[in-house]
Amino acid sequence: MESKLHISVSPHIRSKRNTRNIMLDVILSLLPATAAGIVLFGGSAVAVVVTCIAAAVLSEGFFNLIIKKEQTVNDLSAVVTGLLLALNLPANIPLWQAVIGSVFAIVIVKCFFGGIGCNVVNPAITGRVFMLIAFGSMAQAAFPVDSASAATPLVELSQGNVPDLLELFLGKNGGAIGETSVLALLIGGIYLLARGVISWHLPVAYIGTVFLFTLAVQGDLTVTLAYIFSGGLFIGAIFMATDYVTSPSTPAGKLIFGIGAGVITVLIRLWGNYPEGVSFAILLMNILNPFIEKWTPRKLFGGKKA
Amino acid sequence: MAFSLHGVHLPHRKNTADTAAVAMETPKTVTLPMGMHIGAPAVPVVKVGDHVDVGTLVAEQNGAISSPVYASVSGTVKAIVEQLQVNGRKLPAVVIESDGANTPDPAIAPPTVTNQEELVEAIRKSGIVGLGGAGFPTYVKFKVDPAKVEALIINGAECEPYITSDSLTMTQRADEMADALRALETHLGIKKVIIGIENNKKSAIAKMKELANADPCVQVVTLPAVYPQGGEKVLVYHTTGKVIPAGKLPLDVGCIVVNCTTLACIGQYLKTGMPLVDKCITVDGSAVKEPKNVIVPIGTAMEEVFAFCGGFKEEPGKVLYGGPMMGVAVADLSAPVLKNTNAILAFDQKDAVAGKETACIRCGACYNHCPFGINPVALEKAYREGDAEAMEKAGADVCMECGCCAFICPANRPLVQNNKLAKVALRDARAAAKEKEDQK
């Protein structure tokens, strides 16, 4: 039969959401934190951001080219990985280390496992943890020009000093490029919630757990607030832990993931060898994710067929 | 009820809302397929050359779940052909050449109905099937022990985009609906009637509230315009709070669900005795010049109906029976309007092709938007691995193919197609397991 009509299974209309515009939303939501990082840390922050994004995109592009896989750089997910990794690095990091970290995140963590949607752990987080262990320079945090302290707030806190809460909230303290300004991260988080890209469950469970656990141990509200405004908690809880591929799909699963990550973060921060535990916490929960998914299925309406 | 079932917000595109239905001129020929309903195909009782009038029986029902077919024009039986149906089955179809006179069959008279049995028989003879799209022979739903029926639910949700023919029924045919309800209340002892309507149909809600004011059994429930509000199990849950178990029917929880147009047609039949021979359908879509609601003799070729609506803006790329979420694509514009057709839509080339399929990013949107909690990603994996147990666990049996998962998927994955394949694979696996069991 000669028919020019398309035949396909229903539905015949699709929503406007696609992978690319979801990734674009994530990039837009990270712009306030990126801008804050550039204002606080200056030109070297720009260099790190540009280097990481370029290295991430180029390594994914070349990888696909070499193994003759369909090109996927247009979906913008490599840009997200590069940007997230950059925001988790100190501004004074040598650029060659930033390149190696980005290539590691994209090629080893993402492409080797099958590309977008197939990675087992979050590429940016894993890239950061790799760099933390491989390069000593990661421990040397950068500081804003007008920073009052020469130690990161978590180090200050471990020594019994409580930094100014407003300064912490705005981000005028030492740390990675994109992690210091809680205000900028919150603006991005609200954007993601409003656009329906993420749901509240995971970030609220994560930050809430860190808050309650820290308060229970420290017993002081100001100290507790200083803890949750410090380090990578907000960027981790809002932007890294919520990565679709490596976090649970159901609300119950997201809550469990958030609580688990919160507990591990506090354990590392207060009793571990590292001042900060967000990356390790998310990485560990990434590994547990398949189990959480298994434990938290949605209930089938009407149950199974009798 | 504790929670509303999940679903998706769709663009409504009810372009033809609140416009009067226009009757189409009589077509030169009509083609009446024998399978316009769920169940055994009807069997032709006319021969080539026979004269028929409007409402003359051309095919008798065959078996317990089936439905008779009547001539929708007066004229001569020109041929009985084998016709390919959209489901891939070939079935006979009676082709009638119209004499243009539209003479009603002189034998037609209102049925005498004094009890349930006569009412069920009248509905059977009317040839009415589920007009919301499913096409299940309506009389079967009423061939029940009246004691088991707690509520009759009238489906006026009309949750598919574009379609407005049910809204039009509610605003224009309330009297016929009321007549049918009276008969059902009297002969089946139905004491509770719930009319469920999505809240974007203001005039239908107003009209149905008038009907409810005149009949103490009837209540109108306004539902949020979230697709698939008109799905049978969804509607029963949202109007009564009752959960129909997997593989069961509304009657298992004391409900009968009937589409509002089906109800109006029952009312019309009881009053006039004229069986189901025409249908008000919505004609719309991006390729249609003048979208409208048209009253069409059943069996009219789609292309003639589109021509009546000003033809196409451009050559259509996709043509559907029904709405864009659950409608069926047709390959041939000569396909006839069926009993259960509530809309025919034609889309331009741009709207005809879905975006490119990309890798699943495990966003969970399909899973979280499924009204019934099915995990389409797990189901896809289980199907690929041929794992029957995992397919069952992911919810293959529960899927009503509403399309929320595929609609929302940012990677354009063909999830409904997968679910359909999984259902078949699961059925085959069960049959094979049973055979193995029997051999022991």
Side-chain angles (χ1 to χ4, degrees):
Chain A
M1 193 190 306
E2 77 176 291
S3 170
K4 285 175 188 159
L5 296 174
H6 288 272
I7 301 291
S8 64
V9 171
S10 59
H12 306 284
I13 48 172
R14 301 289 184 134
S15 69
K16 291 198 167 64
R17 268 163 65 104
N18 59 40
T19 304
R20 188 185 153 91
N21 62 36
I22 290 173
M23 293 301 158
L24 194 61
D25 269 338
V26 176
I27 294 167
L28 290 174
S29 72
L30 285 167
L31 289 184
T34 311
I38 291 168
V39 170
L40 292 163
F41 299 104
S44 55
V46 180
V48 175
V49 169
V50 171
T51 304
C52 285
I53 293 176
V57 172
L58 289 175
S59 57
E60 181 167 310
F62 278 124
F63 185 87
N64 288 335
L65 218 57
I66 290 164
I67 67 157
K68 299 194 172 91
K69 200 181 158 190
E70 196 177 345
Q71 198 47 267
T72 50
V73 290
N74 283 331
D75 67 24
L76 299 178
S77 63
V79 177
V80 170
T81 298
L83 179 57
L84 268 175
L85 179 62
L87 297 185
N88 274 283
L89 300 177
N92 58 359
I93 189 144
L95 293 181
W96 64 269
Q97 292 183 5
V99 170
I100 291 178
S102 305
V103 173
F104 179 88
I106 290 292
V107 176
I108 311 251
V109 186
K110 184 180 173 190
C111 293
F112 277 12
F113 284 82
I116 185 166
C118 299
N119 47 298
V120 179
V121 287
N122 180 301
I125 286 270
T126 316
R128 182 178 191 271
V129 169
F130 163 76
M131 292 172 76
L132 193 64
I133 295 164
F135 309 125
S137 56
M138 283 286 290
Q140 308 290 319
F143 293 89
V145 224
D146 56 349
S147 176
S149 165
T152 61
L154 285 174
V155 172
E156 290 266 7
L157 278 162
S158 67
Q159 291 162 354
N161 306 320
V162 182
D164 182 71
L165 282 185
L166 183 66
E167 300 257 296
L168 279 183
F169 188 72
L170 296 175
K172 288 186 185 172
N173 50 273
I177 296 167
E179 74 177 15
T180 61
S181 176
V182 175
L183 175 67
L185 293 166
L186 277 177
I187 292 170
I190 288 164
Y191 176 78
L192 287 184
L193 283 174
R195 296 281 297 162
V197 175
I198 62 168
S199 74
W200 60 268
H201 304 85
L202 209 164
V204 169
Y206 193 171
I207 297 168
T209 303
V210 173
F211 177 81
L212 292 176
F213 194 1
T214 310
L215 185 66
V217 176
Q218 300 289 344
D220 183 275
L221 186 64
T222 314
V223 174
T224 305
L225 285 174
Y227 264 103
I228 70 162
F229 288 168
S230 302
L233 181 60
F234 275 75
I235 193 170
I238 298 171
F239 299 95
M240 320 275 279
T242 52
D243 169 30
Y244 289 148
V245 185
T246 54
S247 71
S249 357
T250 61
K254 290 181 208 289
L255 292 175
I256 292 176
F257 188 110
I259 293 167
V263 169
I264 299 170
T265 300
V266 178
L267 289 177
I268 295 174
R269 278 185 176 185
L270 297 184
W271 293 286
N273 269 337
Y274 285 96
E276 174 58 306
V278 169
S279 298
F280 291 109
I282 295 173
L283 187 56
L284 282 168
M285 294 312 288
N286 284 167
I287 293 163
L288 286 179
N289 180 47
F291 299 98
I292 301 173
E293 289 268 44
K294 211 170 165 182
W295 298 329
T296 54
R298 282 187 64 199
K299 197 169 159 274
L300 283 178
F301 184 79
K304 274 203 236 167
K305 201 168 179 175
Chain B
M1 110 211 46
F3 297 103
S4 289
L5 298 178
H6 299 195
V8 291
H9 291 274
L10 299 177
H12 294 156
R13 297 183 188 152
K14 304 275 189 186
N15 309 316
T16 52
D18 299 318
T19 58
V22 196
M24 197 183 140
E25 71 264 27
T26 310
K28 288 208 171 60
T29 62
V30 292
T31 307
L32 302 167
M34 296 296 103
M36 296 191 278
H37 52 262
I38 289 177
V43 181
V45 293
V46 290
K47 304 183 301 295
V48 173
D50 281 2
H51 176 82
V52 290
D53 291 320
V54 178
T56 304
L57 182 75
V58 300
E60 188 45 279
Q61 81 172 83
N62 179 23
I65 297 176
S66 184
S67 184
V69 178
Y70 297 89
S72 54
V73 293
S74 60
T76 317
V77 176
K78 205 171 83 179
I80 297 176
V81 296
E82 283 286 309
Q83 203 192 35
L84 189 68
Q85 313 292 298
V86 284
N87 61 9
R89 213 162 46 152
K90 268 196 169 170
L91 282 179
V94 175
V95 183
I96 301 168
E97 193 169 46
S98 167
D99 59 13
N102 278 331
T103 324
D105 191 313
I108 279 170
T112 318
V113 172
T114 57
N115 56 34
Q116 184 191 355
E117 203 183 324
E118 285 172 359
L119 178 64
V120 170
E121 176 58 13
I123 298 172
R124 186 195 71 77
K125 279 183 90 175
S126 72
I128 294 171
V129 299
L131 301 180
F136 184 77
T138 303
Y139 78 94
V140 180
K141 292 186 180 179
F142 296 113
K143 214 173 162 181
V144 295
D145 174 6
K148 282 191 183 154
V149 184
E150 283 171 46
L152 173 66
I153 297 160
I154 306 304
N155 192 345
E158 200 167 54
C159 55
E160 281 262 16
Y162 295 100
I163 309 178
T164 58
S165 51
D166 276 350
S167 308
L168 204 60
T169 296
M170 290 186 277
T171 51
Q172 305 296 316
R173 300 177 72 183
D175 292 343
E176 287 169 332
M177 288 175 71
D179 288 347
L181 285 177
R182 211 166 302 124
L184 290 166
E185 286 160 15
T186 312
H187 302 299
L188 262 92
I190 287 169
K191 289 183 187 62
K192 189 173 175 188
V193 178
I194 302 170
I195 306 178
I197 313 173
E198 278 192 353
N199 60 14
N200 59 353
K201 298 165 189 66
K202 302 278 180 252
S203 33
I205 293 167
K207 195 73 192 180
M208 289 298 103
K209 282 198 167 150
E210 276 177 36
L211 188 157
N213 287 338
D215 184 339
C217 294
V218 181
Q219 66 184 94
V220 176
V221 175
T222 309
L223 303 158
V226 176
Y227 180 86
Q229 197 62 265
E232 194 166 66
K233 290 183 174 184
V234 178
L235 186 70
V236 168
Y237 182 65
H238 285 167
T239 51
T240 67
K242 286 182 177 155
V243 178
I244 302 172
K248 299 282 181 185
L249 296 170
L251 194 64
D252 292 304
V253 296
C255 296
I256 296 177
V257 183
V258 177
N259 166 270
C260 59
T261 303
T262 309
L263 186 75
C265 288
I266 294 173
Q268 185 188 22
Y269 181 77
L270 294 176
K271 203 167 175 179
T272 64
M274 177 57 81
L276 184 65
V277 293
D278 56 22
K279 206 47 222 300
C280 173
I281 63 171
T282 301
V283 185
D284 203 343
S286 54
V288 176
K289 259 192 192 150
E290 300 157 18
K292 52 174 78 121
N293 280 298
V294 187
I295 299 167
V296 183
I298 290 166
T300 307
M302 275 184 171
E303 55 199 344
E304 292 187 49
V305 186
F306 284 122
F308 179 73
C309 295
F312 298 119
K313 287 181 199 162
E314 60 169 275
E315 196 180 347
K318 193 183 244 182
V319 174
L320 306 179
Y321 274 129
M325 290 301 284
M326 290 191 73
V328 182
V330 298
D332 189 347
L333 280 168
S334 67
V337 169
L338 309 175
K339 280 182 184 179
N340 57 339
T341 305
N342 51 8
I344 57 173
L345 305 177
F347 294 101
D348 56 27
Q349 296 290 340
K350 183 172 64 64
D351 292 342
V353 195
K356 198 173 156 300
E357 181 186 335
T358 54
C360 170
I361 54 169
R362 290 196 254 168
C363 64
C366 54
Y367 193 16
N368 285 316
H369 284 84
C370 176
F372 294 165
I374 298 164
N375 185 342
V377 176
L379 190 52
E380 185 181 3
K381 184 168 173 279
Y383 167 68
R384 285 200 180 148
E385 291 169 358
D387 184 342
E389 199 184 325
M391 283 190 260
E392 190 176 272
K393 204 174 157 195
D397 291 314
V398 189
C399 179
M400 60 175 157
E401 297 167 20
C402 67
C404 289
C405 53
F407 172 82
I408 206 77
C409 177
N412 274 316
R413 299 187 72 75
L415 298 169
V416 172
Q417 189 168 323
N418 263 309
N419 293 2
K420 280 174 178 266
L421 290 169
K423 281 186 192 182
V424 176
L426 184 55
R427 203 171 55 207
D428 290 351
R430 281 183 182 141
K434 195 170 173 288
E435 205 171 303
K436 220 173 170 184
E437 191 72 19
D438 291 347
Q439 276 171 3
K440 274 184 191 167

